[in-house]
Amino acid sequence: LGGKMDGIEAAELIASLGKCKIIFLTSYQDQNTRVRAVRINPLAFFIKPVNFDKLNRIIKEEFGIRN
C-alpha cells in the first residue's frame, strides 16, 4: 500500500463499505497488530508462513464449497 494507510486500515475501510469477508495474512506477530486486526472481525488471521490447507478449509467452509 502506498501512503500512510496500512493493511489493517485498508481492511477497515473496505469492511465499512459493505459486507465482505476479510482474511489477514501477516508476518507481524506483535499483540498490537493482532488486536487491531481482530477488532474488525476478520474471517481468519494467519501469521506467515501460512498453512494453506487450513486457509483452503476456512474458505471452503465459509462459502459452502464441498470437494
Side-chain angles (χ1 to χ4, degrees), residues 32 46 57:
N32 184 52
F46 287 96
R57 181 179 49 78

Side-chain angles (χ1 to χ4, degrees), residues 47-65:
I47 296 174
K48 296 175 186 176
V50 175
N51 178 326
F52 286 103
D53 290 333
K54 187 173 182 180
L55 175 60
N56 190 35
R57 181 179 49 78
I58 288 171
I59 292 169
K60 284 182 176 182
E61 286 175 5
E62 183 62 28
F63 293 100
I65 300 169

Side-chain angles (χ1 to χ4, degrees), residues 32-46:
N32 184 52
T33 298
R34 182 179 293 274
V35 168
R36 288 179 60 222
V38 170
R39 190 176 68 211
I40 67 167
N41 196 29
L43 184 58
F45 181 90
F46 287 96

